[in-house]
Each structure stands twice: as structure tokens, then as C-alpha cells.
């Protein structure tokens, strides 16, 4: 079966926008994007941020870059934006507030066009920080620094591009392993992807994930969780859980999301020089 789905790139935030060899260069090279639409909706400084990304993508050789300056729900009905969404070959969501991003886009014609094109006709999607987190469903927010307290992590519907897999960002830098584990303990999501800063998880249409960047991507699997007290304790009490699997991936690591297992690098035969 020919798979016409586009790629999905989840970036952990704080990517080096001045680098000519970093995460965004890899994104442009891998997607071969010629026409990029930048969506700065999540940010309070949407226009300025949009311009920054426009400069970056132009420097990386992208021919056409448009900014979808969408601040509120009604802006998603703008005919010009709908046209851009039908024509761009990569749509990039910036960081900011993932909840705002979800509230502005969910159940709009614009998101419907974006999702249909991604799943059926090869539109590439990418997001950094909040723009990566919103790709999941459910998407999580709050709960930083609360360790394993029940009720500390909030969740809402996201875009559902990575259905039933929850994405978290700024991952190692902000100590978010407890946040994602506390959420998995609830059973509302069985899988998680935590992406470090200046790092990307690039997911191909056949669900192979590849890491590039300077940090770490952590894959979580709660399928074999043996126990969690989540549904027996009160708000603010500490969560007790057993047996969540984690995989730590670095630049060049590959992971098969359908089998939920790392793809081991092919062994290179060492040539031992005769002394």
C-alpha cells in the first residue's frame, strides 16, 4: 500500500535558529520543503516570531515562506490562510502556549484541511515546544515541579496527529520525566515522547522515528504497567506506579513506533590493522 502521509517533526524547543547545520537545517533537508507556512499562534509575540522564522527558513534555502498570523478563532476562516494551508508543503507551529493553540484551531475548517493533507497527501508538519505538544491527543500542561502529585498535570484534547501518544518538550532541561509518568499513571495515554531542547524527533509515514539535534529524546511505554494507585487516591496525594518502560535516544538513533522498539544500528565490521 502506498503511504501518502507526510512526515511529522517534534522539536523540544530552544532550537538554534542561527545554525546552518542544526535542527531546522535537518528539517528542511529531510522534507525538501520549498513552501513553508509558519503558524506563530501560540506565541504572545506572533508577528515578530513569525518574521524570525521567516528569516531562518529563507537563509536555509526555502523558496516561499508565508506567516499565518492567526491570533483568534475567527482568523482561521481567512480565505488567504485557507489557500496557503492547501498549497504549502510544510506547516510549522512555533512555541508559546499549547492550550491557546488548541483552542484556536480545534474543530476549524483550517485544521481539517491541514490534517487531511497530512494524512492523505503528504503535507509535512512540524512544531517546536508548544507547537510539538499540540500534535498529541491528549495534550498536557501544568504540573512542573509538583513531582508525582495527582491532579497536578492537566490535559485537554490536542490535534491528534500522534493519537494516544502524549508529547512533552524542554524535556530533560525542565525535569519533566515525573510529569509524563504521572500522566501515564492515569491511563489516559499509554505512550509518551519527551523531546529535549534543540532536538527533534522526525517521524516518517511508516512510523519510524529518527532523532537529530544536540539533546535527548525519551520514549515512554506504559503498556505493561503492573500497578498504579492513581484512581484510588485523592487530589495532591502522591502517585505510586510500577513498570513503565523508557528508551533514551540521541542524535542518529532510530526507533520503530509500530513495534515500540529501538532500531539497532547495523554492526560495522571493525578492520583490525596488522601491526
Amino acid at each position: 500500500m502506498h503511504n501518502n502521509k507526510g512526515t511529522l517533526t517534534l522539536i523540544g524547543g530552544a532550537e538554534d535558529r542561527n545554525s546552518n547545520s542544526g535542527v531546522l537545517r535537518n528539517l528542511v533537508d529531510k522534507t525538501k520543503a520549498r513552501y513553508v507556512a509558519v503558524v506563530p499562534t501560540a506565541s504572545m509575540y506572533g508577528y515578530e516570531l513569525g518574521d524570525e522564522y521567516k528569516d531562518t527558513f529563507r537563509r536555509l534555502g526555502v523558496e516561499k515562506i508565508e506567516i499565518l498570523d492567526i491570533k483568534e478563532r475567527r482568523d482561521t476562516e481567512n480565505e488567504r490562510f485557507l489557500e496557503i494551508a492547501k498549497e504549502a508543503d510544510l506547516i510549522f507551529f512555533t512555541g508559546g502556549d499549547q492550550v491557546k493553540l488548541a483552542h484556536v484551531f480545534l474543530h476549524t475548517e483550517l485544521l481539517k484541511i491541514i490534517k487531511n493533507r497530512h494524512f492523505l497527501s503528504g503535507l509535512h508538519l512540524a512544531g517546536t515546544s508548544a507547537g510539538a505538544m499540540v500534535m498529541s491527543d491528549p495534550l498536557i500542561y501544568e504540573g512542573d515541579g509538583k513531582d508525582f502529585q495527582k491532579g497536578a498535570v492537566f490535559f485537554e484534547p490536542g490535534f491528534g496527529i500522534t493519537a494516544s501518544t502524549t508529547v512533552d518538550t524542554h524535556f530533560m532541561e525542565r525535569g519533566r520525566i515525573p510529569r509524563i509518568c504521572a500522566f501515564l499513571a492515569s491511563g489516559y495515554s499509554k505512550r509518551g515522547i519527551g523531546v529535549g531542547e534543540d532536538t527533534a524527533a522526525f517521524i516518517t509515514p511508516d512510523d519510524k522515528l529518527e532523532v537529530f539535534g544536540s539533546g535527548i529524546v525519551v520514549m515512554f511505554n506504559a503498556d505493561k504497567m503492573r500497578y498504579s494507585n492513581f484512581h484510588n487516591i485523592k487530589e495532591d496525594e502522591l502517585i505510586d506506579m510500577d513498570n513503565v518502560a523508557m528508551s533514551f535516544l540521541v542524535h542518529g538513533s532510530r526507533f520503530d513506533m509500530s513495534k515500540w522498539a529501538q532500531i539497532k544500528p547495523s554492526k560495522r565490521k571493525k578492520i583490525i590493522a596488522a601491526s
Side-chain angles (χ1 to χ4, degrees):
M1 189 185 87
H2 187 60
N3 190 338
N4 281 331
K5 196 172 151 188
T7 63
L8 172 65
T9 305
L10 307 169
I11 302 171
E15 71 284 358
D16 182 354
R17 295 202 281 272
N18 300 313
S19 163
N20 280 325
S21 59
V23 168
L24 297 175
R25 155 62 66 206
N26 268 291
L27 171 64
V28 171
D29 288 351
K30 289 205 174 281
T31 57
K32 299 183 171 44
R34 292 276 163 268
Y35 182 0
V36 175
V38 177
V39 184
T41 304
S43 173
M44 286 161 59
Y45 313 102
Y47 207 76
E48 296 91 325
L49 190 60
D51 273 347
E52 267 187 54
Y53 277 105
K54 195 171 189 171
D55 291 345
T56 298
F57 282 121
R58 186 175 289 130
R59 201 187 67 242
L60 295 172
V62 177
E63 287 157 22
K64 187 171 182 187
I65 305 132
E66 295 281 1
I67 299 170
L68 271 58
D69 189 27
I70 293 165
K71 292 187 174 69
E72 48 192 281
R73 249 183 118 74
R74 64 171 183 217
D75 298 336
T76 64
E77 295 161 19
N78 179 314
E79 280 301 322
R80 189 171 153 269
F81 295 161
L82 291 166
E83 279 312 303
I84 292 168
K86 286 173 188 166
E87 288 169 11
D89 45 31
L90 167 66
I91 297 186
F92 183 92
F93 291 84
T94 74
D97 177 352
Q98 63 269 32
V99 178
K100 178 190 173 191
L101 192 50
H103 287 181
V104 170
F105 273 85
L106 279 181
H107 313 301
T108 61
E109 182 62 24
L110 182 59
L111 184 60
K112 196 159 121 192
I113 289 167
I114 290 170
K115 285 178 73 167
N116 280 345
R117 286 197 61 219
H118 171 70
F119 286 111
L120 303 173
S121 54
L123 170 65
H124 302 297
L125 295 179
T128 183
S129 189
M133 292 180 72
V134 80
M135 298 296 177
S136 52
D137 185 28
L139 77 84
I140 57 173
Y141 60 105
E142 302 294 348
D144 276 348
K146 292 277 180 72
D147 291 335
F148 280 82
Q149 278 170 274
K150 178 172 175 173
V153 183
F154 291 67
F155 67 99
E156 288 202 13
F159 288 180
I161 308 293
T162 62
S164 71
T165 300
T166 290
V167 178
D168 207 347
T169 56
H170 300 279
F171 197 64
M172 303 305 272
E173 294 76 10
R174 296 188 189 173
R176 285 180 168 170
I177 288 178
R179 171 156 99 161
I180 213 159
C181 286
F183 186 64
L184 294 176
S186 70
Y188 299 132
S189 186
K190 284 286 174 78
R191 304 279 169 87
I193 304 176
V195 190
E197 291 180 359
D198 192 39
T199 307
F202 177 80
I203 303 168
T204 59
D206 60 353
D207 284 334
K208 304 288 192 294
L209 179 152
E210 186 181 337
V211 176
F212 45 85
S214 61
I216 288 180
V217 172
V218 190
M219 310 295 287
F220 293 83
N221 182 352
D223 281 352
K224 295 194 168 74
M225 181 168 71
R226 285 187 289 254
Y227 171 75
S228 156
N229 66 354
F230 187 90
H231 295 285
N232 307 319
I233 59 173
K234 296 201 261 303
E235 294 277 300
D236 299 331
E237 288 187 354
L238 290 176
I239 297 162
D240 185 6
M241 67 191 298
D242 181 36
N243 209 43
V244 172
M246 291 191 271
S247 306
F248 291 81
L249 310 176
V250 297
H251 183 82
S253 297
R254 293 176 68 238
F255 191 91
D256 186 332
M257 291 176 69
S258 52
K259 296 180 179 154
W260 209 263
Q262 188 164 0
I263 300 166
K264 301 226 172 0
S266 53
K267 285 194 171 68
R268 291 189 180 87
K269 288 200 175 86
K270 282 189 181 147
I271 298 165
I272 299 165
S275 53

